[in-house]
Amino acid sequence: MKKILILLGALTVLSTTALGNKTGVGLGVGVANSLYKGIDSKAYPIPLFDIEYGNFYVVGTDIGYKMWQNDMYTLSFFANPLEGYRVKASDMEEGYKDIEDRDLQFMGGLRLDADTGLMGIKTAVALSGGQHGAKGRLGFYKPYSVTEKFVIVPGIHSIYYSKDFTDYYFGVDSKELGSNRTGNSKLTSTYSPDSAYSVGINIVGEYRFRDNLAMSFFVGAEKFSKEIGDSPLVDEDYIIMGGTGIKYYF
């Protein structure tokens, strides 16, 4: 499930207007490597949503309400019930199989989408919080119409993770040490990371076969700071992702 959310994030950062979308639903498949030790890359089904009803919208796993908008700016309240990095102890490699499970969390906050007025570049700023910490995201993207039917949207972004967020998902508590749990023989010291950040790049594309049917794709990469990369639970400090799917528009 964690990988599904990462892949959906590549789509969620873009507003539905970036690709000129109508209301659409679809299904795709994506793959990404895992940050955690012993968890291999796998393919997962991904729901694809671009839904608007009045001021309400659903994009990816974000559910939002547009509180104010004009030709340049849109301010929204949004919520995501499936945030974070879910990991089960049983999926970890030997020596880490008795850690506490990390669960997904419900997070909500504010998002501002804006047209920068510079060469068609758009920006999205989002701040959200939940039971296990807070996140902030700043992204820039620019739509390109390759043809009348084919649009690509490259983007860059940076994400801030609060100390509570990084400590919950990547920290190691004293009760998890191998001296207390035989299944954690490779955990010899506690780890309490400070706040962290990541930087990423992604490309989202869409090809319309006809007005109501399109193929979407996305590829991207995310690099995490040392506060996450140095965690004893983490094997890689980066994620590479990609996927494709079909959407039907109403």
Side-chain angles (χ1 to χ4, degrees), residues 189-215:
S189 61
T190 61
Y191 185 70
S192 182
D194 291 326
S195 58
Y197 68 90
S198 65
V199 292
I201 183 170
N202 53 263
I203 298 176
V204 179
E206 184 169 278
Y207 181 80
R208 292 287 181 98
F209 297 106
R210 51 179 186 262
D211 286 345
N212 62 350
L213 187 64
M215 181 183 73

Tab-separated table of all heavy atoms in Angstrom, residues 189-215:
chain	number	residue	atom	x	y	z
A	189	SER	N	20.960	-0.028	18.568
A	189	SER	CA	20.879	1.289	19.210
A	189	SER	C	19.616	2.012	18.761
A	189	SER	O	19.084	1.745	17.684
A	189	SER	CB	22.113	2.138	18.872
A	189	SER	OG	22.199	2.360	17.470
A	190	THR	N	19.151	2.913	19.605
A	190	THR	CA	17.955	3.684	19.263
A	190	THR	C	18.285	4.718	18.183
A	190	THR	O	19.444	5.058	17.961
A	190	THR	CB	17.397	4.399	20.500
A	190	THR	OG1	18.385	5.299	21.002
A	190	THR	CG2	17.011	3.401	21.579
A	191	TYR	N	17.247	5.202	17.540
A	191	TYR	CA	17.431	6.222	16.514
A	191	TYR	C	16.242	7.169	16.561
A	191	TYR	O	15.091	6.754	16.436
A	191	TYR	CB	17.540	5.589	15.126
A	191	TYR	CG	17.854	6.584	14.031
A	191	TYR	CD1	19.101	7.184	13.960
A	191	TYR	CD2	16.902	6.933	13.075
A	191	TYR	CE1	19.406	8.104	12.962
A	191	TYR	CE2	17.194	7.848	12.068
A	191	TYR	CZ	18.452	8.430	12.022
A	191	TYR	OH	18.743	9.346	11.041
A	192	SER	N	16.521	8.455	16.757
A	192	SER	CA	15.471	9.472	16.836
A	192	SER	C	15.826	10.611	15.880
A	192	SER	O	16.521	11.552	16.264
A	192	SER	CB	15.334	9.990	18.268
A	192	SER	OG	14.290	10.937	18.364
A	193	PRO	N	15.361	10.542	14.646
A	193	PRO	CA	15.751	11.541	13.643
A	193	PRO	C	15.069	12.887	13.861
A	193	PRO	O	13.991	12.972	14.457
A	193	PRO	CB	15.282	10.906	12.329
A	193	PRO	CG	14.123	10.055	12.733
A	193	PRO	CD	14.473	9.516	14.092
A	194	ASP	N	15.724	13.932	13.388
A	194	ASP	CA	15.128	15.261	13.369
A	194	ASP	C	14.197	15.376	12.165
A	194	ASP	O	13.989	14.418	11.417
A	194	ASP	CB	16.217	16.326	13.289
A	194	ASP	CG	17.034	16.413	14.575
A	194	ASP	OD1	16.456	16.189	15.655
A	194	ASP	OD2	18.247	16.690	14.488
A	195	SER	N	13.642	16.556	11.947
A	195	SER	CA	12.834	16.799	10.755
A	195	SER	C	13.691	16.548	9.520
A	195	SER	O	14.921	16.649	9.560
A	195	SER	CB	12.293	18.224	10.760
A	195	SER	OG	13.357	19.165	10.813
A	196	ALA	N	13.044	16.227	8.413
A	196	ALA	CA	13.766	15.823	7.205
A	196	ALA	C	13.106	16.433	5.982
A	196	ALA	O	12.083	17.114	6.074
A	196	ALA	CB	13.796	14.303	7.104
A	197	TYR	N	13.710	16.153	4.831
A	197	TYR	CA	13.139	16.638	3.582
A	197	TYR	C	13.468	15.661	2.458
A	197	TYR	O	14.345	14.789	2.595
A	197	TYR	CB	13.665	18.038	3.235
A	197	TYR	CG	15.135	18.068	2.880
A	197	TYR	CD1	15.561	17.902	1.558
A	197	TYR	CD2	16.106	18.230	3.866
A	197	TYR	CE1	16.903	17.909	1.234
A	197	TYR	CE2	17.456	18.242	3.544
A	197	TYR	CZ	17.843	18.083	2.229
A	197	TYR	OH	19.183	18.084	1.914
A	198	SER	N	12.776	15.820	1.365
A	198	SER	CA	13.102	15.077	0.149
A	198	SER	C	12.934	16.009	-1.038
A	198	SER	O	12.221	17.013	-0.969
A	198	SER	CB	12.205	13.843	-0.016
A	198	SER	OG	10.853	14.222	-0.206
A	199	VAL	N	13.601	15.680	-2.125
A	199	VAL	CA	13.442	16.413	-3.381
A	199	VAL	C	13.120	15.394	-4.457
A	199	VAL	O	13.591	14.253	-4.416
A	199	VAL	CB	14.712	17.215	-3.750
A	199	VAL	CG1	14.937	18.348	-2.767
A	199	VAL	CG2	15.935	16.310	-3.816
A	200	GLY	N	12.288	15.803	-5.404
A	200	GLY	CA	11.866	14.851	-6.413
A	200	GLY	C	11.593	15.485	-7.757
A	200	GLY	O	11.476	16.705	-7.889
A	201	ILE	N	11.506	14.635	-8.749
A	201	ILE	CA	11.181	15.040	-10.110
A	201	ILE	C	10.235	14.000	-10.678
A	201	ILE	O	10.359	12.798	-10.385
A	201	ILE	CB	12.454	15.170	-10.975
A	201	ILE	CG1	12.098	15.667	-12.379
A	201	ILE	CG2	13.225	13.858	-11.021
A	201	ILE	CD1	13.324	16.042	-13.206
A	202	ASN	N	9.253	14.437	-11.452
A	202	ASN	CA	8.333	13.487	-12.059
A	202	ASN	C	7.789	14.040	-13.374
A	202	ASN	O	7.807	15.248	-13.629
A	202	ASN	CB	7.181	13.135	-11.122
A	202	ASN	CG	6.456	14.354	-10.601
A	202	ASN	OD1	6.744	14.816	-9.502
A	202	ASN	ND2	5.515	14.881	-11.366
A	203	ILE	N	7.330	13.140	-14.203
A	203	ILE	CA	6.675	13.494	-15.458
A	203	ILE	C	5.355	12.738	-15.523
A	203	ILE	O	5.323	11.509	-15.370
A	203	ILE	CB	7.535	13.142	-16.680
A	203	ILE	CG1	8.851	13.921	-16.663
A	203	ILE	CG2	6.770	13.439	-17.968
A	203	ILE	CD1	9.793	13.546	-17.797
A	204	VAL	N	4.286	13.481	-15.700
A	204	VAL	CA	2.959	12.893	-15.879
A	204	VAL	C	2.540	13.149	-17.314
A	204	VAL	O	2.733	14.250	-17.841
A	204	VAL	CB	1.937	13.525	-14.914
A	204	VAL	CG1	0.549	12.926	-15.137
A	204	VAL	CG2	2.378	13.315	-13.471
A	205	GLY	N	1.984	12.164	-17.957
A	205	GLY	CA	1.543	12.331	-19.334
A	205	GLY	C	0.178	11.725	-19.578
A	205	GLY	O	-0.261	10.845	-18.821
A	206	GLU	N	-0.486	12.218	-20.611
A	206	GLU	CA	-1.789	11.671	-20.953
A	206	GLU	C	-2.004	11.749	-22.460
A	206	GLU	O	-1.755	12.794	-23.079
A	206	GLU	CB	-2.893	12.436	-20.235
A	206	GLU	CG	-4.278	11.841	-20.470
A	206	GLU	CD	-5.305	12.440	-19.537
A	206	GLU	OE1	-5.377	11.971	-18.387
A	206	GLU	OE2	-5.998	13.384	-19.945
A	207	TYR	N	-2.449	10.639	-23.023
A	207	TYR	CA	-2.776	10.586	-24.453
A	207	TYR	C	-4.246	10.242	-24.597
A	207	TYR	O	-4.707	9.202	-24.110
A	207	TYR	CB	-1.927	9.547	-25.173
A	207	TYR	CG	-2.216	9.481	-26.656
A	207	TYR	CD1	-1.663	10.410	-27.537
A	207	TYR	CD2	-3.072	8.510	-27.167
A	207	TYR	CE1	-1.938	10.368	-28.898
A	207	TYR	CE2	-3.352	8.454	-28.523
A	207	TYR	CZ	-2.791	9.390	-29.376
A	207	TYR	OH	-3.080	9.344	-30.719
A	208	ARG	N	-4.988	11.134	-25.260
A	208	ARG	CA	-6.423	10.924	-25.463
A	208	ARG	C	-6.650	10.133	-26.755
A	208	ARG	O	-6.376	10.627	-27.841
A	208	ARG	CB	-7.144	12.269	-25.550
A	208	ARG	CG	-7.170	13.070	-24.260
A	208	ARG	CD	-8.114	12.477	-23.249
A	208	ARG	NE	-8.128	13.273	-22.025
A	208	ARG	CZ	-9.047	14.184	-21.738
A	208	ARG	NH1	-10.008	14.440	-22.602
A	208	ARG	NH2	-9.001	14.848	-20.594
A	209	PHE	N	-7.141	8.905	-26.611
A	209	PHE	CA	-7.529	8.137	-27.797
A	209	PHE	C	-8.752	8.769	-28.448
A	209	PHE	O	-8.864	8.843	-29.653
A	209	PHE	CB	-7.839	6.689	-27.421
A	209	PHE	CG	-6.637	5.958	-26.872
A	209	PHE	CD1	-6.545	5.685	-25.512
A	209	PHE	CD2	-5.612	5.557	-27.702
A	209	PHE	CE1	-5.450	5.003	-24.999
A	209	PHE	CE2	-4.511	4.875	-27.204
A	209	PHE	CZ	-4.425	4.610	-25.845
A	210	ARG	N	-9.666	9.209	-27.578
A	210	ARG	CA	-10.830	9.993	-27.995
A	210	ARG	C	-11.244	10.828	-26.793
A	210	ARG	O	-10.606	10.766	-25.748
A	210	ARG	CB	-11.961	9.097	-28.510
A	210	ARG	CG	-12.366	7.955	-27.614
A	210	ARG	CD	-13.503	7.184	-28.266
A	210	ARG	NE	-14.034	6.152	-27.380
A	210	ARG	CZ	-13.693	4.879	-27.426
A	210	ARG	NH1	-12.793	4.485	-28.314
A	210	ARG	NH2	-14.237	3.997	-26.610
A	211	ASP	N	-12.318	11.600	-26.922
A	211	ASP	CA	-12.673	12.552	-25.876
A	211	ASP	C	-12.887	11.908	-24.514
A	211	ASP	O	-12.597	12.511	-23.481
A	211	ASP	CB	-13.941	13.326	-26.263
A	211	ASP	CG	-13.661	14.363	-27.336
A	211	ASP	OD1	-12.472	14.675	-27.553
A	211	ASP	OD2	-14.629	14.848	-27.955
A	212	ASN	N	-13.396	10.694	-24.492
A	212	ASN	CA	-13.743	10.074	-23.210
A	212	ASN	C	-12.831	8.921	-22.807
A	212	ASN	O	-13.120	8.203	-21.847
A	212	ASN	CB	-15.195	9.592	-23.232
A	212	ASN	CG	-15.447	8.524	-24.289
A	212	ASN	OD1	-14.591	8.271	-25.132
A	212	ASN	ND2	-16.622	7.920	-24.249
A	213	LEU	N	-11.720	8.732	-23.511
A	213	LEU	CA	-10.820	7.622	-23.174
A	213	LEU	C	-9.365	8.063	-23.338
A	213	LEU	O	-8.992	8.608	-24.376
A	213	LEU	CB	-11.100	6.417	-24.077
A	213	LEU	CG	-10.352	5.120	-23.734
A	213	LEU	CD1	-10.795	4.605	-22.365
A	213	LEU	CD2	-10.589	4.066	-24.812
A	214	ALA	N	-8.565	7.813	-22.304
A	214	ALA	CA	-7.176	8.266	-22.333
A	214	ALA	C	-6.269	7.266	-21.635
A	214	ALA	O	-6.701	6.518	-20.753
A	214	ALA	CB	-7.054	9.628	-21.656
A	215	MET	N	-5.017	7.278	-22.042
A	215	MET	CA	-3.978	6.517	-21.354
A	215	MET	C	-3.100	7.498	-20.594
A	215	MET	O	-2.649	8.509	-21.151
A	215	MET	CB	-3.121	5.722	-22.338
A	215	MET	CG	-2.032	4.897	-21.644
A	215	MET	SD	-0.936	4.015	-22.795
A	215	MET	CE	0.019	5.390	-23.433
